[in-house]
Amino acid sequence: MSWMRGIGCQVRALRAERSRWKADMERFKEEQRAARRSGGAMPENPGPPPTGFALLPWLLLGMGAFSNLFQGRTPQPWVGAVGLLAFNSLYIYVTFRAFTKPTREARSTRVALVLMGVVTCALAIGYGGTWLYFFPLLGLATGAVVRGPWLGKIGFGLTVLAASVSVFRAGWDAVNVAYGTFLSTMVTAAILSLSEAVRELRSAREELARRAVEKERMRFSRDLHDLLGHTLSVIVVKSEAARRLAPRDLDAALVQVTDIESVGRQALTEIREAVTGYREGSLATELDRARSALSAARVEPVVRQSGPPLVPQTEALLGWVLREAVTNVVRHSDATRCEITVDGTADLVRLTVSDDGTDASPADPEPGVGGTGLKGLTERLATAGGSLRAGRTARGGFEVRAELPVEAADLTEASV
């Protein structure tokens, strides 16, 4: 009863395909109404699902043979009836399996197509006349199943076979059957291949759009993490410093409060710029902020900078790394000293942030990668052609080292 299970699978697949098509049409109508209200571009009509139903009307070519059989003008009518039933069954089986690649390339489909050719030749040789029109139907089924480099050879061979049988049964007047066979084979294959290519392109376009949305979400989440994580840490540290200084030195406490206000305002500006995707960091600005944040946390900052000037994209990426590294030092280490070194050559620039603390991360990081923020920065630097290493040093502290080519990739590409 395997054939019954196969029919059941085909019916379920057709129902699922039709359900998807209905959902696509509903979405298309909603998008169409929205486009009319907004005056935007009209969406693309998804069209009906590609199934074997589109090829069933061509069975009407066999109505002449059925008419002869029904009117009793066919010798041995039972043989013709069995042949007609076998041909129609094989045609339906083959065409309904031709619209998905796994079933189209299955051995059972190829065997059914060969049996269909044998039945066609037997009926055409045995009866001739209108039975010869089964050859174009055979060509149509062949074009639906056979794709690729073998199509031309198989189509030519089938045309020669149709011409030979037609000339044998009806003379040269029936050579048009061969032309119809060749045309149905090649045109069907071309139309279905083009339709399949359009579906694949549409699917690829949807996948690219989905990935673009995911990448933009990832970029935005990284920007917010890097911006807010550092800024809030600085605000917390300066607030603690203001609380400590307020009882004994009100002026110094007011300086810290003023810094908190300045950091908050700058954070608002940076978040607005990050939302629009146009934020570009300055390494010099980040170094100044790092000195201020470390000093407020009672960590001695030591900054060394050398090498040629950097392009804005490289400065922006190194600024992200410096911001994240200093945030980790302020939040998670017991350091008293933090060294920040920026040096470079004509081809490569290196940023190193090291401290003498005992714990520079909230959890035990992966070797060479670091916490969540450093993992995101590792991906950014890798996209720009650089690398990032983070881990314990032999002296017991924590070190973050970033390397980038001087002409790093565009910051937008590295972020997105």
Side-chain angles (χ1 to χ4, degrees), residues 190-397:
I191 291 176
L192 294 185
S193 297
L194 181 61
S195 175
E196 185 173 346
V198 170
R199 292 198 304 273
E200 291 177 353
L201 287 174
R202 183 181 299 166
S203 176
R205 184 176 60 187
E206 293 175 355
E207 178 67 16
L208 288 174
R210 184 185 63 82
R211 291 187 179 184
V213 171
E214 290 181 355
K215 289 180 179 180
E216 182 61 19
R217 286 175 180 169
M218 183 66 69
R219 181 199 70 81
F220 190 64
S221 65
R222 287 172 178 170
D223 284 358
L224 286 182
H225 174 273
D226 294 341
L227 286 170
L228 295 181
H230 173 79
T231 302
L232 294 178
S233 297
V234 172
I235 290 175
V236 169
V237 170
K238 287 186 173 292
S239 299
E240 292 175 349
R243 177 175 54 80
R244 291 194 306 267
L245 293 172
R248 62 178 184 271
D249 192 345
L250 186 59
D251 291 337
L254 289 176
V255 171
Q256 296 295 329
V257 172
T258 304
D259 288 345
I260 292 173
E261 181 184 2
S262 176
V263 170
R265 292 183 183 279
Q266 183 64 29
L268 287 175
T269 303
E270 291 176 347
I271 289 175
R272 293 190 187 102
E273 293 174 348
V275 168
T276 57
Y278 294 115
R279 183 180 185 275
E280 289 188 1
S282 167
L283 187 57
T285 303
E286 294 297 340
L287 288 172
D288 291 338
R289 292 176 183 171
R291 289 190 186 95
S292 177
L294 292 170
S295 299
R298 291 183 290 187
V299 179
E300 180 187 358
V302 179
V303 180
R304 304 183 184 91
Q305 187 173 7
S306 61
L310 304 177
V311 297
Q313 291 83 4
T314 303
E315 283 202 13
L317 286 173
L318 292 180
W320 286 114
V321 176
L322 178 60
R323 176 186 287 257
E324 179 65 23
V326 171
T327 299
N328 288 339
V329 172
V330 171
R331 293 175 60 185
H332 306 303
S333 76
D334 297 326
T336 60
R337 178 184 173 90
C338 178
E339 297 184 3
I340 302 172
T341 305
V342 181
D343 59 343
T345 63
D347 300 322
L348 185 71
V349 60
R350 181 185 298 106
L351 168 67
T352 306
V353 180
S354 59
D355 62 73
D356 60 354
T358 57
D359 183 17
S361 63
D364 189 18
E366 293 182 24
V369 178
T372 303
L374 292 179
K375 289 180 182 178
L377 290 171
T378 302
E379 297 173 1
R380 290 189 181 193
L381 266 66
T383 304
S387 63
L388 186 143
R389 302 282 297 177
R392 311 284 179 190
T393 63
R395 296 174 295 177

Side-chain angles (χ1 to χ4, degrees), residues 72-93:
R73 291 186 293 179
T74 301
Q76 299 179 345
W78 288 107
V79 176
V82 171
L84 185 61
L85 178 62
F87 179 88
N88 289 339
S89 301
L90 290 170
Y91 178 86
I92 294 173
Y93 178 80

